[in-house]
Amino acid sequence: MKPRIFNEEFNSVLMIMSKKTFTRPVYFAFFSVFLQFFTLSQARAADIFADVKFIGDGSVNVRGKFEDGFAPLNERNFYFLLGPDDARGRIWDVRLIDSAGAEVRFRELIPGEYLADRPYSEFEYKLRINTPDEVLSGHKSSSNRDLAVLYFDSLLPAFKKGGSWVSARLRLILPLDWKLFSSDAVSANEIDIPNILKGTAVCGRHLRSREFQAGNSAVRLVLAGERDFSDAEVEEMIVGILAYYTRQIGRLTAEKIQVAVVPSGDPARSGRWEAETRGSSVLVVSADMPFRNQSRQRLHEQFRHELFHLWFPAGVDLVGDYSTYYEGLAVYLSLRAGVELRQIRFDDMLTTLSTAIVNLQDDMLRPADRSRIYSLGTLAAFTADLSLLTRSRGSRGLFAEVSRIFKLYETRNTRSNRRDDGEVVFRQAFGFDVSETLSRFRSAIAETGLEFSRGRLRISSKLNGQQKVILRKIGYNS
């Protein structure tokens, strides 16, 4: 018998993102021990260098400086990407220093954004990253007494060079019994980050790791705590899912991958989880489900979604915001993978797609609502798959089109200098704009023997031969 997915609401399935003037004229030696690190590190290319020291109260103290010759786009701005609500009350003791070692006065425009009186070249601040309930986040830097999840775009100030985000070299000063794991690590406590938007790390006590090969990629698996799944089961899931997507899309660009699965810190078996993929790093922060089998099924579901992102968007050179497309692809194609890998039933896939349709028909959801965006992308991907299979009489569907795009734009394709807009590329591949999804969906299901009524997507009682061919391509009778 095929295992049945633990059903839940689609929203949960998809949610796999005063002006003060400082006038104190203080001149001081900003770095002491820090200078040694900079002296050793500046031979290596980076735009900024920083020490990140963990403090016992759940905060970090960050001291940084610019590489010689580097200056950010706006030399007087000092700001964070946290947003005012997240930054409020979490950032304090900010100091800015000029090249002569003199303190630079500044004023706070809004929480997390400051305007200096003149250009600066060094900076220092404290940032609180622990959470009141000790539950870790999977989307931004957070910590508890045992673990820390670091996303460097929510830990470091935001600097740009030209039109690109800066690179950084960091030294992490951790509690004595903590270990650091990062796909960008160059030593036990140093990290080279080519792009601060993509840099991540996991650190803490009682972390363990294992390394294995999955296709052409070396995978480091980082785990913590006793969970409802064994380390070997987690490795088997990763290897199987990466092999599946490699067959369907093409050989993965990343030669080294880090996958971290850490407990959220939620004491209840709530199933609460968050996950994110940045560059070649995948992070799952989760609490176990009420039953062991549910926890294993949930982890497989999380991996099917997050590991897809190693191909899109991480493995391609496409520009612009096309997240509606790649998040929709991740949800829909992970459902396809779940059916073909016998983790869920075809009816479970139809149930999830039905909830996406209902979400889009819900007038209470705003256009920018995250659930609506995911639902739109998912239904657009499903509709495109049906349309492509119908036009090709079942010979070429969405996976074939995604594979074509990946091979054309993959980051290791050095022969190509293409930097095309992702939204345009996928709109052409789908054959329609996502704004047309609902109308296209209705005609697509009519042609393929599906019907939607009373909030449920169903297979028609009478299918012709061609419709059966198409439905089998997407998992019917698997």
Side-chain angles (χ1 to χ4, degrees):
M1 176 176 293
K2 304 180 183 72
R4 181 182 180 86
I5 191 171
F6 182 73
N7 289 321
E8 60 186 330
E9 288 299 313
F10 183 80
N11 296 351
S12 176
V13 174
L14 297 186
M15 291 299 101
I16 359 215
M17 325 233 137
S18 151
K19 298 181 178 179
K20 300 177 183 177
T21 301
F22 294 77
T23 59
R24 192 166 40 120
V26 177
Y27 299 88
F28 57 92
F30 188 48
F31 302 108
S32 52
V33 176
F34 198 36
L35 283 175
Q36 182 182 5
F37 170 55
F38 282 155
T39 302
L40 293 173
S41 297
Q42 283 189 357
R44 303 156 184 158
D47 298 313
I48 62 173
F49 299 91
D51 262 0
V52 179
K53 182 178 181 179
F54 281 70
I55 306 173
D57 64 355
S59 304
V60 291
N61 188 83
V62 180
R63 292 179 173 182
K65 67 170 291 184
F66 300 149
E67 166 69 297
D68 291 342
F70 168 76
L73 273 178
N74 190 318
E75 296 181 321
R76 294 173 57 206
N77 273 11
F78 183 75
Y79 72 101
F80 295 80
L81 295 176
L82 287 169
D85 291 338
D86 274 345
R88 184 174 288 109
R90 291 180 59 199
I91 304 170
W92 73 99
D93 283 354
V94 176
R95 290 174 171 173
L96 303 179
I97 312 299
D98 67 15
S99 57
E103 186 171 359
V104 176
R105 294 187 302 175
F106 61 90
R107 58 193 175 98
E108 185 180 73
L109 303 178
I110 58 175
E113 184 172 348
Y114 310 87
L115 183 64
D117 284 358
R118 62 183 189 277
Y120 58 92
S121 59
E122 301 173 1
F123 53 86
E124 182 178 12
Y125 58 91
K126 291 183 176 68
L127 172 68
R128 185 173 302 281
I129 62 172
N130 67 337
T131 55
D133 58 4
E134 293 274 296
V135 176
L136 298 176
S137 169
H139 299 305
K140 61 186 178 183
S141 294
S142 58
S143 71
N144 56 32
R145 66 190 66 185
D146 295 316
L147 290 166
V149 170
L150 303 180
Y151 287 102
F152 292 111
D153 62 342
S154 63
L155 189 71
L156 297 174
F159 298 117
K160 275 191 169 184
K161 179 174 66 175
S164 303
W165 295 100
V166 298
S167 60
R169 186 171 184 85
L170 308 178
R171 181 178 66 167
L172 275 69
I173 305 171
L174 303 171
L176 288 177
D177 56 347
W178 280 35
K179 294 180 181 179
L180 166 70
F181 292 95
S182 171
S183 59
D184 297 311
V186 293
S187 73
N189 68 336
E190 292 184 16
I191 302 176
D192 270 341
I193 308 169
N195 180 327
I196 60 169
L197 289 191
K198 296 180 179 180
T200 68
V202 177
C203 48
R205 56 172 61 92
H206 310 312
L207 287 173
R208 62 189 183 275
S209 66
R210 58 194 287 160
E211 297 183 357
F212 52 89
Q213 198 71 21
N216 70 302
S217 300
V219 182
R220 179 199 289 136
L221 174 60
V222 181
L223 301 126
E226 297 299 319
R227 306 299 299 273
D228 282 348
F229 33 78
S230 69
D231 296 4
E233 285 177 315
V234 179
E235 177 180 333
E236 183 180 3
M237 290 181 198
I238 294 169
V239 171
I241 293 167
L242 289 177
Y244 173 82
Y245 284 136
T246 298
R247 289 194 303 271
Q248 297 287 358
I249 303 172
R251 184 166 61 92
L252 190 60
T253 301
E255 295 181 355
K256 294 181 180 180
I257 301 166
Q258 177 169 294
V259 180
V261 182
V262 298
S264 64
D266 189 341
R269 296 177 70 92
S270 63
R272 172 178 171 176
W273 64 276
E274 292 181 347
E276 189 155 335
T277 300
R278 298 270 187 100
S280 59
S281 296
V282 177
L283 173 66
V284 178
V285 177
S286 62
D288 285 330
M289 301 286 285
F291 300 100
R292 291 178 63 87
N293 193 48
Q294 293 171 350
S295 297
R296 289 192 290 268
Q297 288 178 335
R298 165 60 64 81
L299 184 62
H300 200 281
E301 170 196 316
Q302 292 159 348
F303 281 159
R304 294 196 308 270
H305 183 110
E306 294 303 325
L307 292 174
F308 174 84
H309 285 316
L310 295 173
W311 278 266
F312 291 92
V316 293
D317 281 327
L318 290 170
V319 299
D321 181 6
Y322 62 107
S323 57
T324 301
Y325 287 98
Y326 66 68
E327 291 294 357
L329 285 167
V331 175
Y332 172 64
L333 295 180
S334 71
L335 292 171
R336 286 275 312 266
V339 173
E340 294 183 41
L341 295 175
R342 299 185 178 274
Q343 294 295 312
I344 63 174
R345 305 176 308 164
F346 185 71
D347 281 350
D348 296 320
M349 182 172 81
L350 293 185
T351 298
T352 301
L353 292 169
S354 298
T355 311
I357 301 164
V358 172
N359 274 351
L360 289 179
Q361 294 176 335
D362 186 354
D363 293 334
M364 297 297 290
L365 290 176
R366 298 185 299 274
D369 187 284
R370 191 167 179 81
S371 177
R372 185 179 180 89
I373 292 171
Y374 271 64
S375 297
L376 180 61
T378 303
L379 194 60
F382 174 55
T383 300
D385 202 9
L386 295 182
S387 300
L388 290 165
L389 287 167
T390 299
R391 288 202 300 269
S392 65
R393 296 185 176 272
S395 65
R396 184 178 178 84
L398 186 57
F399 261 127
E401 195 62 16
V402 166
S403 176
R404 178 190 66 81
I405 294 171
F406 176 71
K407 290 169 184 174
L408 183 61
Y409 293 100
E410 60 180 324
T411 53
R412 65 167 173 255
N413 185 359
T414 56
R415 294 171 299 175
S416 174
N417 292 319
R418 305 176 70 108
R419 295 283 288 169
D420 293 344
D421 186 279
E423 184 174 4
V424 173
V425 168
F426 278 103
R427 184 167 63 237
Q428 292 172 348
F430 281 28
F432 58 89
D433 187 85
V434 289
S435 62
E436 307 170 50
T437 296
L438 277 176
S439 61
R440 296 286 188 138
F441 163 75
R442 296 185 185 96
S443 60
I445 62 170
E447 292 181 37
T448 51
L450 292 167
E451 52 191 42
F452 181 75
S453 62
R454 297 180 181 178
R456 179 79 175 123
L457 190 60
R458 299 179 178 85
I459 299 172
S460 174
S461 57
K462 293 182 180 180
L463 296 174
N464 61 38
Q466 187 62 38
Q467 289 170 334
K468 290 179 181 177
V469 168
I470 292 170
L471 292 177
R472 288 191 185 110
K473 289 286 186 178
I474 64 170
Y476 180 52
N477 284 341
S478 287

